[in-house]
Amino acid sequence: MTGNKDTVLKVEGLGVSYGGNPAIGSLDFEIKRGEFVAILGPSGCGKSSMLNVISGLLPPTRGLVEVDNLPLYDPGRAAPKLGYVFQAHRLLPWRTVKQNLELVLAASEVPRDQWEGNIDRLLDILHIRQFKDSWPLQLSGGQRQRVSIARALLIDPSYILMDEPLSTLDEVTARSLRQELSGIWGRTGATIVFVTHSIREAVYLADRIIILTRGPSTVFENYHVPIARPRAYDDPMIGEVEADIVRRVEGAWGLEPVKPREVA
C-alpha cells in the first residue's frame, strides 16, 4: 500500500469471516481528508462488520487497513483518534452533558485548561450550549444525538464513523439534523464515514457513496454525487439521483425492477 498524505483511511482486500462463513468478501476503498462519504448497502451485506474493522474493534480475517498511512492493527502503533456516533446516543444518564463530554477529553491528550473552551465551542456549533449542565434524560432525542456528535468531534479525530445515527428519530427531527450535520461538516472540515440504509439521505449528505453488493460484500460502485452544495432535501435533483442509484443497484441487490402501476 502506498502512502498518500491526503488519504485518511485506506482499505485493501478487506475480508471478514465468522467460523469459516464469509460476511465480507473483499473491500477496497479510500477516504480522503475532509470528505463526507456514505456507505450504502442492503441488509445483511456486512456493514456492521466493516464498521467494527475500521473502528479498530475487529481485526480483519484478511486484507489491510491503514489510518493516516499506518496499519490500524499494527501492535507497535499508537491508537489513532477516531470518533463514533451510534444509532443510540449512549450517553451516561448519571452524568450531565458536560460531564459526558469530559469523559472523552479525559482519555485524550487535550490539556485540561482547554476542555471548557472546546466543549463550549462545539455545543455552540450544535446549538445546545444551554443544555451543558442538563442530564441526558432531560433532552429530546435530537438534542441527545447532537451531544453524541459533539463527543465524536471533541478529540479532533482522523475520521468520524456514523452508524445510521438518525434512524431512530422522527422524520421532522431527522431532517433538521441532516441539515445541521451538513453545516457542521462544512464548518469543521471533519472527515465523515456515514453508514445508512437511506439512499436519499446518502445523496443529500455525501460527496461520494460507496455502494456495496449483497453479502459477502464487495464494492459495487464508487458513486460521486453530482449535486452542488448547499443542497435542499426536497430538491428534485435529489430525487433524480436517488432514482438513478435505485436503477443501478436493483440487479446487484437481487431486486426486481419496479414497474409503473397500470391505472384502470
Side-chain angles (χ1 to χ4, degrees), residues 2-23:
T2 57
N4 184 324
K5 66 180 181 180
D6 294 325
T7 301
V8 176
L9 172 66
K10 187 168 186 178
V11 170
E12 187 175 88
L14 173 65
V16 175
S17 298
Y18 299 100
N21 298 313

Side-chain angles (χ1 to χ4, degrees), residues 130-152:
Q130 67 271 33
F131 301 116
K132 183 168 74 169
D133 296 315
S134 299
W135 307 101
L137 293 179
Q138 294 175 316
L139 308 181
S140 69
Q143 289 162 349
R144 288 194 288 264
Q145 210 53 328
R146 282 181 168 87
V147 176
S148 42
I149 293 170
R151 180 178 57 194

